[in-house]
Amino acid sequence: MKTITTHYIDGAFVESHGREVMDIVKPTNGQVIGRVTLADEEDTRRAIASAKRAFASFGRSTKEERTKILRRLHEAASARLDDLTAAMVEEYGGIVQFAGLLVQSGIDAFLASEKALQELPLTRSWGKTTVTLEPVGVAGLITAWNANALFICLKLASAVAAGCTVVIKPSELSSIQTRVLVEALHEADLPKGLLNVVTGLGNVVGVELVRNPDVAKISFTGSVAVGETIMRDGANTMKRVTLELGGKSPTILLDDAALDKAIPSALVMAFMNSGQACAAGTRLLVPNNRLEEVKQGIREAIHAFAVGDPADPKTAVGPMVSQKQYERIQSYIRKGIEEGAEVLVGGEGHPEGFEAGYFVKPTVFVNVKNDMTIAQEEIFGPVLCVIAYDSEDEVIRIANDSKYGLHAAVIGTDLERARRMASQIRAGRVVINNMTDDPQAPWGGFKYSGVGREYGRYGMEAFLETRAILE
């Protein structure tokens, strides 16, 4: 049983002023594995004050000083890679083969931000005018539960590269993972107050960060509803805001696609991180003249996506993060059936032999219309909708017929055609033929998928403002 009673403020672990205690539940069996004492407004204000004091000096730091800190952060986090992965598997139920990749991506974000810092000119001059890129100030970083180490490291790296100090509010569902990561980062010998972490509820800690006038910037990853609230409440103190709010990503299967490769690739994009991924390709758009082939291919390929113990390298789909999330996904599966979609594989209930935890059957619906609830709303679980189309114009219309616009994919053998299709999709990032990543490429969305961008220089720029000095 793990007991967490402290927060990280001004370079030290300090006892929580807040007294509310929450159970930490293991999603594979529903058993309590720890307890965390949640922060209150006073804890949050102490952390903000610490960051404000630190910004007075760190805000004037040089590229060289920030570079050294980013390298120390990378080294410190790297030393705990295995522990961070194990914590994600235990507390979140992330499958080990994917959890390790997510954690490594988070650790590598420090090096990616170092590269962006070196390449981004912070000063430009012409005539008697000098323009500098200045850190915005104290940044409040609010992260989600589905990739805890990745989000914390990514946002922290960009903020540090820009010269900001931070207060992080991680998800309370990730308390064990957060503690391991903060213990690691503590070893980086940071200036006091540069990094502060308070674990608490969004309607307590998050609200204080958004409303406090000493916080200049909010970077948030989470739901649309919370993002809308942050924009409204942050306006009162002119907060700079970056929001990454999820998606309903289309995967366009072109009629020239090699199905033996395309279908497994599409399923990987749909079920990655057990479907609990904002970038998950949960709408598979298939040409009508190949629909029956695709359906048969899915029936055959689904066997490779085994549900099981997330610590087993053979497992492809682990449990959902909580009972609430399990019930949410079940309600969407029922809704799909009620609306007339056909369950090709999967369906309601627990997979056989996994009744104790929050496991969901990987589910694929066919005969889906794009105006159905399951095709329009983000389910955040291993549920894929197959939607048929007849022409290129129609598939682009379907792909863009969503309030979201975070991620998309195009699969086909004619690369020029695939690129042409990709250029017409209203999404912040489009991949061709496989799920891929570039830590310098921007990450963020159109429409309700959010505001602003993260990763590399784009993420760093989100924490900077311009100042012009004229003579």
Side-chain angles (χ1 to χ4, degrees):
M1 180 74 69
K2 298 178 177 65
T3 302
I4 301 170
T5 63
T6 59
H7 308 292
Y8 191 73
I9 300 174
D10 205 29
F13 291 96
V14 298
E15 287 295 321
S16 179
H17 180 271
R19 305 317 307 157
E20 182 177 353
V21 177
M22 187 191 80
D23 289 340
I24 301 169
V25 178
K26 188 172 184 176
T28 54
N29 56 21
Q31 299 299 305
V32 175
I33 57 172
R35 291 188 174 89
V36 58
T37 303
L38 300 175
D40 63 7
E41 293 88 348
E42 179 60 26
D43 292 308
T44 312
R45 286 192 285 267
R46 288 176 182 174
I48 293 169
S50 170
K52 182 180 180 181
R53 288 192 300 271
F55 181 71
S57 56
F58 188 68
R60 300 194 303 271
S61 59
T62 64
K63 272 191 176 186
E64 291 71 24
E65 290 167 333
R66 297 175 203 172
T67 293
K68 289 178 182 178
I69 289 174
L70 289 167
R71 289 178 180 173
R72 292 203 305 270
L73 285 165
H74 176 263
E75 182 179 356
S78 295
R80 299 292 296 275
L81 171 62
D82 291 343
D83 294 338
L84 288 165
T85 302
M88 185 173 179
V89 172
E90 178 187 36
E91 182 180 41
Y92 165 65
I95 60 168
V96 67
Q97 58 178 310
F98 193 72
L101 293 174
L102 282 178
V103 172
Q104 186 66 62
S105 293
I107 293 170
D108 290 344
F110 295 114
L111 297 183
S113 286
E114 180 198 342
K115 184 175 188 291
L117 176 60
Q118 298 304 328
E119 294 179 354
L120 180 63
L122 298 182
T123 302
R124 288 187 61 203
S125 298
W126 59 90
K128 293 185 177 181
T129 298
T130 300
V131 177
T132 57
L133 294 177
E134 301 292 330
V136 296
V138 175
L141 313 180
I142 304 175
T143 63
W145 43 258
N146 60 316
N148 186 67
L150 171 63
F151 294 140
I152 290 177
C153 292
L154 173 64
K155 294 177 189 294
L156 174 61
S158 293
V160 168
C164 293
T165 57
V166 307
V167 179
I168 300 174
K169 191 215 87 67
S171 170
E172 64 278 7
L173 296 177
S174 304
S175 298
I176 294 174
Q177 299 167 71
T178 298
R179 175 47 56 98
V180 175
L181 179 57
V182 175
E183 287 175 353
L185 300 182
H186 176 70
E187 299 301 316
D189 189 27
L190 303 174
K192 285 186 177 181
L194 170 58
L195 168 65
N196 304 273
V197 183
V198 281
T199 298
L201 301 176
N203 59 9
V204 179
V205 176
V207 165
E208 181 63 33
L209 284 173
V210 172
R211 294 179 178 174
N212 194 298
D214 288 335
V215 177
K217 163 83 181 182
I218 294 290
S219 178
F220 169 76
T221 298
S223 71
V224 170
V226 175
E228 290 172 338
T229 300
I230 288 172
M231 288 195 78
R232 284 195 301 269
D233 290 353
N236 291 329
T237 52
M238 288 297 168
K239 291 283 189 294
R240 278 65 178 153
V241 175
T242 297
L243 305 173
E244 197 268 276
L245 305 178
K248 194 70 184 178
S249 303
T251 298
I252 296 177
L253 196 71
L254 297 176
D255 56 15
D256 65 347
L259 296 187
D260 59 331
K261 296 179 180 178
I263 291 174
S265 181
L267 292 178
V268 165
M269 286 188 271
F271 298 149
M272 62 180 175
N273 207 17
S274 303
Q276 297 176 124
C278 50
T282 51
R283 291 184 297 150
L284 179 58
L285 312 186
V286 176
N288 248 318
N289 62 4
R290 303 202 70 180
L291 181 58
E292 291 306 315
E293 288 179 82
V294 170
K295 288 162 67 173
Q296 182 58 34
I298 290 173
R299 291 190 192 98
E300 295 169 358
I302 198 69
H303 300 295
F305 295 83
V307 175
D309 179 357
D312 184 344
K314 295 179 182 178
T315 295
V317 178
M320 302 299 97
V321 71
S322 65
Q323 179 68 24
K324 179 181 178 181
Q325 188 67 10
Y326 170 83
E327 291 172 354
R328 168 188 168 88
I329 295 161
Q330 295 302 311
S331 71
Y332 274 109
I333 293 173
R334 289 191 295 272
K335 184 70 172 178
I337 295 169
E338 291 167 4
E339 290 186 334
E342 175 191 342
V343 176
L344 182 69
V345 296
E348 288 188 76
H350 292 88
E352 186 176 351
F354 294 95
E355 291 78 12
Y358 310 136
F359 292 91
V360 170
K361 297 174 186 175
T363 298
V364 179
F365 281 104
V366 294
N367 297 336
V368 177
K369 303 300 181 186
N370 199 55
D371 60 357
M372 290 181 177
T373 302
I374 56 171
Q376 286 294 317
E377 296 186 9
E378 186 177 38
I379 298 172
F380 225 62
V383 180
L384 173 63
C385 298
V386 177
I387 302 170
Y389 70 88
D390 288 310
S391 68
E392 288 188 4
D393 287 344
E394 184 185 16
V395 75
I396 293 298
R397 180 185 60 77
I398 294 171
N400 289 332
D401 182 18
S402 169
K403 72 177 186 178
Y404 295 106
L406 180 65
H407 198 272
V410 179
I411 301 178
T413 55
D414 183 340
L415 282 179
E416 285 304 314
R417 182 188 182 199
R419 291 172 186 139
R420 175 167 50 80
M421 300 293 283
S423 69
Q424 300 176 69
I425 301 173
R426 297 284 290 174
R429 187 181 283 198
V430 185
V431 297
I432 294 177
N433 286 333
N434 286 295
M435 192 66 186
T436 187
D437 188 31
D438 181 340
Q440 297 299 324
W443 176 259
F446 288 72
K447 299 180 280 188
Y448 279 78
S449 284
V451 176
R453 294 293 182 267
E454 298 185 285
Y455 283 35
R457 68 176 292 170
Y458 301 93
M460 181 182 166
E461 287 173 344
F463 291 90
L464 295 167
E465 286 281 17
T466 56
R467 178 177 63 201
I469 297 178
L470 293 74
E471 297 178 15

